[in-house]
Amino acid sequence: MADILNEQQFASDNYSGVCPEAWAAMEAANAGHAPAYGADAWTQRASDAFRELFETDCEVFFAFNGTAANSMALASLCQSYHSVICAESAHVETDECGAPEFFSNGSKLLVAPSADGLLTPDSVRAVAERRSDIHYPKPRAVTITQSTETGRVYSVAQLQVLSEACRSLGLRLHMDGARFANACAALQLSPAELTWKAGIDVLCFGGTKNGMAVGEAILFFERALAEDFDYRCKQAGQLASKMRYLSAPWVGMLENGAWLRNARHANACARRLVDAVADVPGIAAIFPVEANAVFLSAPPDVLDGLRARGWRFYTFIGGGARFMFAWDTAVERVDALARDIRACA
Amino acid sequence: MADILNEQQFASDNYSGVCPEAWAAMEAANAGHAPAYGADAWTQRASDAFRELFETDCEVFFAFNGTAANSMALASLCQSYHSVICAESAHVETDECGAPEFFSNGSKLLVAPSADGLLTPDSVRAVAERRSDIHYPKPRAVTITQSTETGRVYSVAQLQVLSEACRSLGLRLHMDGARFANACAALQLSPAELTWKAGIDVLCFGGTKNGMAVGEAILFFERALAEDFDYRCKQAGQLASKMRYLSAPWVGMLENGAWLRNARHANACARRLVDAVADVPGIAAIFPVEANAVFLSAPPDVLDGLRARGWRFYTFIGGGARFMFAWDTAVERVDALARDIRACA
Amino acid sequence: MADILNEQQFASDNYSGVCPEAWAAMEAANAGHAPAYGADAWTQRASDAFRELFETDCEVFFAFNGTAANSMALASLCQSYHSVICAESAHVETDECGAPEFFSNGSKLLVAPSADGLLTPDSVRAVAERRSDIHYPKPRAVTITQSTETGRVYSVAQLQVLSEACRSLGLRLHMDGARFANACAALQLSPAELTWKAGIDVLCFGGTKNGMAVGEAILFFERALAEDFDYRCKQAGQLASKMRYLSAPWVGMLENGAWLRNARHANACARRLVDAVADVPGIAAIFPVEANAVFLSAPPDVLDGLRARGWRFYTFIGGGARFMFAWDTAVERVDALARDIRACA
Amino acid sequence: MADILNEQQFASDNYSGVCPEAWAAMEAANAGHAPAYGADAWTQRASDAFRELFETDCEVFFAFNGTAANSMALASLCQSYHSVICAESAHVETDECGAPEFFSNGSKLLVAPSADGLLTPDSVRAVAERRSDIHYPKPRAVTITQSTETGRVYSVAQLQVLSEACRSLGLRLHMDGARFANACAALQLSPAELTWKAGIDVLCFGGTKNGMAVGEAILFFERALAEDFDYRCKQAGQLASKMRYLSAPWVGMLENGAWLRNARHANACARRLVDAVADVPGIAAIFPVEANAVFLSAPPDVLDGLRARGWRFYTFIGGGARFMFAWDTAVERVDALARDIRACA
């Protein structure tokens, strides 16, 4: 079965398992009884670890998955008759089955055109100022993905001009950080620099793709925005009774730096692949490779050839073949893939 | 810290940890890569294990917690302008912060008076036939809890007359099985006998209180009711990407009978306590002890005395002191509690 | 057909037609073209008339009916995970088919026991302080009906102690004024005295039962609460395109006092009936008659006799026979009813 | 004031008043008492008039406005995790402030590119078959506008191929008929031919723009789709208590053909304008003029000149200047506008 599993390993980074650090913490948490619903010591410790890592006294909540974390965060910034501006390739628009609209009871997503999934002040402004009548839902928030669905990262400078534009337009700025760790690793910057210091109001920090079994953290840097958010989590089915199993893995990830090591490895694998095929004729990276994703354009017969050799990858995003790398990607498999690309080309 | 944890152990059965069988399966699942969103082998195996255990080809879904599982199941039986009949002590009414109303976008819960949290055909009929005008939300479903919030169990005969009444009234019958295993253990009956054979349409089978870290299963015995339910789970933030960590523990629980052993142990502890204090003056069980809960009436100074000795228990339900027992309850602690009750009385 | 209509006339005050003053204004408004969606002169004039009548610079919105007006007003005071305290006989609880829950996406109504449908500081406090954990939706608003569903009115003193209790509990106070005019007439007090001067935050002023064809007004006395409420109306299907037909009748009602005359007449008819049967053996008023409703307890055969003589009335509210009076109730019919009650008794 | 009003009269057809036939019926209905909530004779008569006009035993409901009528109709065809396909210029997408998403609790609108706002089988199919995974809301309905927001009409042949495509794709077909009468007038076809005979499942027939004060009718040609729709109307704040004022005008409109006369006049005015300026240099119709709208492209200084002469029109739709004509448009004003266009060009 190992071969089959390895063949699958570049389809998505959520095909990966739980990293040893997260597992060990979860195992340590599995001792005796503990108060439910987050009143346990592990949840306190994980929350404090976030506050230390982000160098600020933010409000921290834990949700089961990214769908819910992002949807609840956006709903907390909007009423149902408001709207949220996002890139046309944003996961919340393309792959959440209407979850943001469901959690908010109808807040519309307004799609801004974007290159590489990166929003700019101009693209946001164009959408925000498109209409100002009551027949159109009033924009109240912007959501960006860091790193983006196309493997790009926003620089601090890009974040700052964007957040300034948002502030001037009366818009809150939310960051979908399903792959936030990869952005930190790519830019070699601290979580604080990439979030609240750059004007982010709310971050959903993804644990699942980073090496956990389940769970995302929602960080409100402006505490007032988090008023009664614990009730929202409860009502929306996102309050774990045995919370320690959601929070302890974060302790394992954050306290010893596994979150960053995991992301660095995944990014390095992406870099390794794209470098290895840089000189192969007919093969080209569609987007600059900045995080843990590689999108390759290749002739159809090359892709068919790769599939015939057992490789699995998505082709429905961005127009090419997407290869995703995770904390547990085997370097040998990356090299094997590169060889096969060269052979098929 | 161990002493403190032990002292806490009767406040709720969700203070317990993960049982060895569930843990071992989760550990086994943590090997290599696996397809996301339930397309993995563990999820298939867990689904099949449910179908085998329930002796029927039911539809099986996995959700993160009971709040969501019950709310989504009820929403699938109703439109927003319909209503759901429940006992006044039902968890969905008293302890879910409006989750059923949120997931259904407004389906009202109609509360039926009940003794011990058990609904009867008469109590359901009285509510169902209270009104028939469009100013009142049309009843479409009944939800019962098995075992109940007060530690009672419905017999097969009780379930059958209830489900017949529901059918004749055009109502679907949902079972909140947060402690379904405890009911099976109490009645020494098979899951099939207590569900579809007795007329239950949908069951939410609780894994968390039964010995898992996170996760409930939703079983539709009438498959047509499950149409597009996978989309509902996705939109509502209840589709795990690394699904194997939700499904594998069920394999561990179901394939070797841990689900039933765990419940038997918990029930036995409840029985042990109530028997041990049966002759203590001033102490009485408020409800017959049938599952894993004991509700004791006791003079206030007795309860104060117990608290002073470090015991933790809830008093906001049912008017007395609630003691809950779990798969990992230490018998010695039950005996110690019984001794202290006798000493304080 | 006239006889049949007259026989029906005490079942509800919404069986009445449009009063001449409202009609004349609507007719005057039906001249030529006018900007849509409330940008017309009639809507401005009606809004100003409300501000003059209430002696304050409140925000004024128009909705199609009371279901929507009350539900939107409550939704503006709550998030979905909050709750609203109301009397058990409140229309929003008993006769709106889950509309408050629908518009708010799940805010639960918490029912307070009450005598005559009147809430007291104690009854509100008992519910508000019942729970303070996140498993129970946090109370954020109280709704009262003035006059109540049982024909009672809150005095200024009662309103003041209630609003003080609300303020101390962090609760907003909403008034369902489907029959607000009847309360003003009964108490001979100004709209200002019965609302913002007594601590009411939001009033839904009913136009339909008061003599209009369609339409209610929503008045926010604290303007900040009305932020983006126009968007809420639009999204919820409550923004009339030809708004003048909703607003002009208010001009007709408010500018010449028809709203108060209409209510006085209805109240007087109720008083006339209850006085006329005060000495009839076996007949008694269930509630003090303060506004335009009379609830009579009477032996079943008396009620049957009345029905046999063609009278129509509801018996599902308050345990007796309800007779409602409107702006156009014919005094002769009231007298005829009184005679028939005496004859049947 | 008359001059000003006349100047405004081409901005929208909802600037018009109530036509004499609708007014007379409303006035006739304003006699004596009548049962509430649609149990009156006028509502029965209006419903029957629809069934006669459409030559079929359809289910008929009355709502206050088009926002609600269309949103409720679409919600009845979908669950929250489903989606609705519409043209990018569809009113439900561009001008309803998220109402469809609110009423459905999250059903996403999937926008199909279209020429002139007309959907084709290919455009629908391309969207419907775009995705089939649970991360994307499953399409369940298509909505078309007849006549379209750009003044086009679907022919019977176009409707038939579209409805066949929908059926083969498992999609229901809804028609937003805010200007349905104009389409009937344009095509000289019966309501039946343009709806159920051509495969339409649900029609929202607009009364407001057609000459009424308020109110739209919702017609379900497949009666099973209307199950419990009366409860939906009630909960959503769309059940009028004095229903006769919503239904009687329809009697006035339908029984003597006013609905069609009104539409013919409006269409004729549009035709008159476009014919009158056909030879003016620099002026061109952007879309074929088929119903009651004319979209003209013109140099900016021409539009400025028209505004300076007091004409009012929108320019935010379709890229040109939109002139809308209603049942009460004065022919002399159309001619005056044509002269001014010629003068300014």
Side-chain angles (χ1 to χ4, degrees):
Chain A
M1 199 148 125
D3 280 1
I4 293 172
L5 292 175
N6 276 330
E7 284 164 7
Q8 292 169 332
Q9 81 183 336
F10 304 133
S12 178
D13 38 359
N14 61 25
Y15 280 36
S16 64
V18 177
C19 72
E21 296 87 346
W23 189 270
M26 196 160 57
E27 198 159 18
N30 190 32
H33 278 210
Y37 302 116
D40 64 288
W42 286 99
T43 302
Q44 182 62 48
R45 193 169 149 193
S47 300
D48 289 343
F50 272 112
R51 287 187 272 263
E52 188 171 348
L53 180 65
F54 281 80
E55 308 164 44
T56 186
D57 188 27
C58 54
E59 288 267 17
V60 181
F61 300 89
F62 300 97
F64 289 114
N65 67 8
T67 305
N70 287 311
S71 296
M72 293 195 300
L74 292 174
S76 75
L77 303 177
C78 282
Q79 294 293 320
S80 61
Y81 40 86
H82 292 144
S83 53
V84 176
I85 298 172
C86 68
E88 57 193 343
S89 57
H91 199 77
V92 288
E93 167 67 13
T94 63
D95 286 278
E96 294 294 18
C97 197
E101 294 87 346
F102 173 77
F103 280 84
S104 65
N105 198 23
S107 304
K108 223 170 158 67
L109 295 175
L110 304 184
V111 170
S114 82
D116 295 359
L118 297 168
L119 288 181
T120 64
D122 284 350
S123 64
V124 166
R125 190 178 307 275
V127 175
E129 297 183 341
R130 185 188 294 165
R131 296 269 294 269
S132 62
D133 58 285
I134 58 171
H135 307 283
Y136 201 69
K138 190 179 185 173
R140 284 292 291 271
V142 171
T143 177
I144 57 175
T145 313
Q146 174 79 316
S147 57
T148 72
E149 291 77 6
T150 47
R152 302 295 312 275
V153 294
Y154 287 87
S155 70
V156 166
Q158 287 173 316
L159 293 175
Q160 275 171 340
V161 293
L162 192 60
S163 69
E164 279 159 24
C166 288
R167 247 190 310 281
S168 75
L169 292 162
L171 303 170
R172 294 288 183 180
L173 185 50
H174 163 263
M175 180 177 278
D176 173 349
R179 297 182 182 101
F180 178 71
N182 301 92
C184 293
L187 292 162
Q188 304 192 34
L189 290 169
S190 75
E193 288 169 301
L194 285 180
T195 55
W196 63 273
K197 289 186 177 174
I200 303 298
D201 293 303
V202 192
L203 168 72
C204 294
F205 191 141
T208 313
K209 292 189 173 79
N210 196 209
M212 289 171 49
V214 62
E216 317 282 299
I218 304 159
L219 279 65
F220 286 90
F221 301 111
E222 184 178 329
R223 296 179 69 95
L225 292 175
E227 189 189 351
D228 291 340
F229 195 79
D230 47 352
Y231 287 84
R232 185 185 291 276
C233 292
K234 169 67 191 183
Q235 184 183 42
Q238 293 291 326
L239 178 65
S241 59
K242 297 185 178 176
M243 181 70 93
R244 53 177 153 160
Y245 298 100
L246 252 74
S247 56
W250 281 113
V251 173
M253 299 284 284
L254 300 184
E255 289 190 352
N256 64 25
W259 71 278
L260 191 56
R261 284 194 304 277
N262 285 354
R264 279 185 187 142
H265 175 78
N267 289 6
C269 289
R271 170 55 43 202
R272 187 177 185 100
L273 177 69
V274 77
D275 286 350
V277 300
D279 63 336
V280 179
I283 305 295
I286 298 176
F287 305 108
V289 173
E290 298 175 340
N292 66 324
V294 174
F295 288 77
L296 293 181
S297 69
D301 62 310
V302 174
L303 299 183
D304 288 343
L306 290 173
R307 288 193 195 94
R309 288 168 185 240
W311 297 103
R312 295 290 171 267
F313 46 85
Y314 290 162
T315 51
F316 68 88
I317 306 174
R322 187 188 78 161
F323 300 91
M324 296 299 300
F325 304 91
W327 67 271
D328 60 350
T329 299
V331 173
E332 302 74 31
R333 297 292 301 163
V334 179
D335 294 345
L337 171 60
R339 279 194 304 274
D340 279 357
I341 291 173
R342 188 174 297 273
C344 292
Chain B
M1 199 148 124
D3 279 0
I4 293 173
L5 292 176
N6 277 331
E7 284 164 5
Q8 293 170 332
Q9 77 184 341
F10 304 132
S12 178
D13 38 357
N14 61 26
Y15 281 36
S16 64
V18 177
C19 71
E21 295 86 348
W23 188 271
M26 195 159 58
E27 198 159 19
N30 190 32
H33 278 210
Y37 302 117
D40 65 288
W42 286 98
T43 301
Q44 182 62 47
R45 193 168 149 193
S47 301
D48 289 342
F50 272 112
R51 287 187 271 263
E52 188 171 350
L53 180 65
F54 281 80
E55 308 165 42
T56 186
D57 188 28
C58 54
E59 288 267 17
V60 181
F61 300 90
F62 300 97
F64 289 114
N65 67 7
T67 305
N70 287 312
S71 297
M72 292 195 300
L74 291 174
S76 76
L77 303 177
C78 282
Q79 294 293 319
S80 62
Y81 40 87
H82 291 144
S83 54
V84 175
I85 298 172
C86 68
E88 57 192 343
S89 57
H91 198 76
V92 287
E93 168 67 13
T94 63
D95 287 278
E96 294 294 18
C97 197
E101 293 87 346
F102 172 77
F103 279 84
S104 64
N105 198 23
S107 304
K108 223 171 159 68
L109 295 175
L110 304 183
V111 170
S114 82
D116 296 359
L118 297 169
L119 288 180
T120 64
D122 284 350
S123 65
V124 166
R125 190 178 307 274
V127 175
E129 296 182 342
R130 185 187 294 164
R131 296 269 294 267
S132 63
D133 58 286
I134 58 173
H135 307 283
Y136 202 69
K138 189 180 188 173
R140 285 292 291 270
V142 171
T143 176
I144 57 175
T145 313
Q146 173 82 315
S147 58
T148 73
E149 291 77 7
T150 47
R152 303 295 313 276
V153 294
Y154 288 88
S155 70
V156 165
Q158 287 173 315
L159 293 175
Q160 274 171 341
V161 293
L162 192 60
S163 69
E164 278 158 25
C166 288
R167 246 189 311 280
S168 75
L169 291 162
L171 304 169
R172 294 289 181 179
L173 185 50
H174 162 263
M175 180 177 278
D176 174 349
R179 297 181 183 102
F180 177 71
N182 301 92
C184 293
L187 292 163
Q188 303 192 33
L189 290 169
S190 74
E193 286 169 302
L194 285 180
T195 55
W196 61 275
K197 288 186 178 177
I200 303 299
D201 293 305
V202 192
L203 168 72
C204 294
F205 191 141
T208 313
K209 293 188 173 80
N210 197 209
M212 289 171 48
V214 61
E216 318 282 297
I218 305 158
L219 279 63
F220 287 91
F221 300 111
E222 184 178 330
R223 296 178 70 94
L225 292 174
E227 188 189 351
D228 290 341
F229 194 80
D230 47 351
Y231 286 85
R232 184 184 293 274
C233 293
K234 168 68 191 186
Q235 185 183 41
Q238 293 291 325
L239 178 66
S241 59
K242 296 183 177 177
M243 181 70 93
R244 53 177 153 161
Y245 297 100
L246 253 74
S247 55
W250 280 113
V251 172
M253 299 285 284
L254 300 185
E255 289 190 351
N256 62 25
W259 72 278
L260 191 56
R261 283 194 304 278
N262 285 354
R264 279 187 187 141
H265 175 78
N267 289 6
C269 289
R271 170 57 42 203
R272 187 176 185 100
L273 177 69
V274 78
D275 286 349
V277 300
D279 64 337
V280 180
I283 305 295
I286 299 175
F287 305 107
V289 173
E290 298 175 339
N292 66 323
V294 174
F295 289 77
L296 293 181
S297 68
D301 62 310
V302 175
L303 298 183
D304 288 344
L306 290 173
R307 286 193 195 94
R309 289 168 185 240
W311 298 104
R312 295 290 172 267
F313 45 86
Y314 289 161
T315 52
F316 68 88
I317 306 174
R322 187 189 78 161
F323 300 91
M324 295 300 299
F325 303 91
W327 67 270
D328 59 350
T329 298
V331 173
E332 302 75 31
R333 297 292 300 163
V334 179
D335 294 343
L337 172 60
R339 280 193 304 274
D340 280 356
I341 290 173
R342 187 173 297 272
C344 294
Chain C
M1 200 148 123
D3 280 1
I4 292 173
L5 292 175
N6 277 330
E7 284 165 4
Q8 292 170 330
Q9 80 184 337
F10 303 132
S12 178
D13 39 357
N14 61 27
Y15 281 35
S16 63
V18 177
C19 71
E21 296 87 347
W23 189 271
M26 196 159 57
E27 198 159 19
N30 191 30
H33 278 209
Y37 303 115
D40 65 288
W42 287 99
T43 301
Q44 182 62 46
R45 192 168 150 194
S47 301
D48 288 343
F50 272 111
R51 286 187 273 262
E52 188 171 348
L53 180 66
F54 281 80
E55 308 165 42
T56 186
D57 188 28
C58 54
E59 288 267 17
V60 181
F61 300 90
F62 300 97
F64 290 113
N65 66 7
T67 305
N70 287 312
S71 297
M72 291 196 301
L74 292 174
S76 76
L77 304 176
C78 282
Q79 295 293 319
S80 61
Y81 41 87
H82 292 144
S83 54
V84 176
I85 298 171
C86 68
E88 57 192 343
S89 57
H91 198 77
V92 288
E93 168 66 13
T94 64
D95 287 278
E96 294 294 19
C97 198
E101 293 87 345
F102 173 77
F103 279 84
S104 65
N105 199 23
S107 304
K108 223 171 159 67
L109 296 175
L110 304 183
V111 170
S114 82
D116 296 358
L118 296 168
L119 288 181
T120 63
D122 284 351
S123 65
V124 166
R125 191 179 305 276
V127 175
E129 296 182 342
R130 184 188 294 164
R131 296 269 294 269
S132 62
D133 57 286
I134 58 173
H135 307 283
Y136 201 68
K138 191 179 187 172
R140 284 292 291 270
V142 171
T143 176
I144 57 175
T145 313
Q146 173 81 316
S147 59
T148 73
E149 291 77 6
T150 48
R152 304 294 312 276
V153 295
Y154 287 88
S155 71
V156 165
Q158 287 173 314
L159 293 175
Q160 274 172 340
V161 293
L162 192 59
S163 70
E164 278 159 25
C166 288
R167 246 189 310 279
S168 75
L169 291 161
L171 303 170
R172 294 288 182 180
L173 186 50
H174 163 262
M175 180 178 279
D176 174 349
R179 297 182 183 101
F180 178 71
N182 301 92
C184 292
L187 291 163
Q188 303 191 33
L189 289 170
S190 75
E193 287 170 301
L194 285 179
T195 55
W196 62 274
K197 288 186 178 175
I200 303 299
D201 293 304
V202 192
L203 168 72
C204 295
F205 191 142
T208 313
K209 293 188 173 79
N210 197 208
M212 288 171 50
V214 62
E216 318 282 297
I218 305 159
L219 279 64
F220 287 89
F221 300 111
E222 184 179 331
R223 297 178 69 95
L225 292 175
E227 189 189 353
D228 291 342
F229 194 79
D230 47 350
Y231 286 85
R232 185 184 291 277
C233 292
K234 168 67 191 184
Q235 185 182 41
Q238 292 291 326
L239 177 66
S241 59
K242 297 184 177 177
M243 182 69 94
R244 54 177 154 160
Y245 297 99
L246 253 75
S247 55
W250 281 112
V251 173
M253 299 284 283
L254 299 185
E255 288 190 353
N256 63 25
W259 71 278
L260 191 56
R261 283 194 305 277
N262 285 354
R264 279 187 187 141
H265 175 77
N267 289 6
C269 289
R271 170 55 43 203
R272 187 177 185 99
L273 176 70
V274 77
D275 286 350
V277 299
D279 64 338
V280 180
I283 305 295
I286 298 176
F287 305 106
V289 173
E290 298 176 341
N292 65 324
V294 174
F295 288 77
L296 294 182
S297 69
D301 62 310
V302 174
L303 298 183
D304 288 345
L306 289 173
R307 287 193 195 94
R309 288 168 185 241
W311 298 102
R312 295 291 171 267
F313 44 87
Y314 289 161
T315 52
F316 68 88
I317 306 174
R322 187 188 78 161
F323 300 91
M324 296 299 299
F325 304 92
W327 67 271
D328 60 351
T329 298
V331 173
E332 302 74 32
R333 297 293 301 164
V334 179
D335 294 344
L337 172 61
R339 278 194 304 273
D340 279 357
I341 290 174
R342 188 173 296 273
C344 294
Chain D
M1 200 148 120
D3 279 2
I4 292 172
L5 291 176
N6 277 331
E7 283 164 7
Q8 293 170 331
Q9 78 183 338
F10 304 132
S12 178
D13 38 358
N14 62 25
Y15 281 35
S16 64
V18 177
C19 71
E21 296 87 348
W23 189 269
M26 195 159 58
E27 198 158 20
N30 191 32
H33 278 210
Y37 302 117
D40 65 287
W42 287 98
T43 302
Q44 182 62 46
R45 192 168 149 193
S47 300
D48 288 343
F50 272 111
R51 287 187 272 261
E52 189 171 349
L53 180 64
F54 281 81
E55 308 165 42
T56 186
D57 188 27
C58 55
E59 288 268 18
V60 181
F61 300 89
F62 300 97
F64 289 114
N65 66 8
T67 305
N70 287 312
S71 296
M72 292 196 300
L74 291 175
S76 75
L77 303 178
C78 282
Q79 294 293 319
S80 61
Y81 40 87
H82 291 143
S83 53
V84 175
I85 298 171
C86 68
E88 58 192 344
S89 57
H91 199 76
V92 288
E93 167 67 13
T94 64
D95 287 277
E96 294 294 18
C97 197
E101 293 87 345
F102 173 77
F103 280 84
S104 65
N105 198 23
S107 304
K108 223 172 159 68
L109 294 175
L110 304 183
V111 170
S114 81
D116 295 358
L118 297 169
L119 288 181
T120 63
D122 284 350
S123 64
V124 166
R125 190 179 306 276
V127 175
E129 296 182 341
R130 186 187 294 164
R131 295 270 293 269
S132 61
D133 57 285
I134 58 172
H135 307 284
Y136 202 69
K138 190 180 186 171
R140 283 291 291 271
V142 171
T143 177
I144 57 175
T145 312
Q146 173 80 316
S147 58
T148 73
E149 292 77 6
T150 48
R152 303 296 311 276
V153 294
Y154 287 87
S155 70
V156 165
Q158 286 172 316
L159 293 175
Q160 274 171 340
V161 293
L162 192 59
S163 69
E164 277 159 26
C166 288
R167 247 189 310 279
S168 75
L169 291 161
L171 303 169
R172 293 288 182 181
L173 185 51
H174 163 263
M175 181 178 278
D176 174 349
R179 298 183 183 100
F180 178 70
N182 301 93
C184 292
L187 292 163
Q188 302 193 34
L189 289 169
S190 75
E193 286 169 302
L194 285 179
T195 56
W196 62 274
K197 287 186 177 175
I200 303 298
D201 293 304
V202 192
L203 168 71
C204 294
F205 190 142
T208 313
K209 293 189 173 79
N210 197 209
M212 289 172 49
V214 62
E216 316 282 299
I218 305 158
L219 279 63
F220 286 90
F221 300 111
E222 184 178 330
R223 295 178 69 95
L225 291 175
E227 189 189 351
D228 291 340
F229 195 79
D230 46 351
Y231 286 85
R232 185 184 291 275
C233 293
K234 168 69 191 184
Q235 185 183 41
Q238 293 291 325
L239 178 65
S241 59
K242 297 184 178 178
M243 181 71 92
R244 53 178 153 161
Y245 298 100
L246 253 74
S247 55
W250 280 114
V251 172
M253 299 286 283
L254 300 185
E255 289 190 352
N256 63 25
W259 71 279
L260 192 56
R261 284 194 303 277
N262 286 354
R264 278 185 188 142
H265 175 78
N267 289 5
C269 289
R271 169 57 42 202
R272 187 177 184 100
L273 177 69
V274 77
D275 286 349
V277 301
D279 63 336
V280 180
I283 305 294
I286 298 175
F287 304 107
V289 173
E290 298 175 340
N292 66 325
V294 174
F295 288 77
L296 293 181
S297 69
D301 62 309
V302 175
L303 299 183
D304 288 344
L306 289 173
R307 287 194 194 93
R309 288 167 185 241
W311 298 102
R312 296 289 171 268
F313 46 86
Y314 289 161
T315 51
F316 68 87
I317 305 174
R322 186 190 78 161
F323 300 91
M324 296 298 300
F325 303 91
W327 67 271
D328 60 350
T329 298
V331 172
E332 302 74 33
R333 297 294 300 165
V334 179
D335 294 343
L337 172 60
R339 279 194 304 273
D340 279 357
I341 291 173
R342 188 174 297 272
C344 293

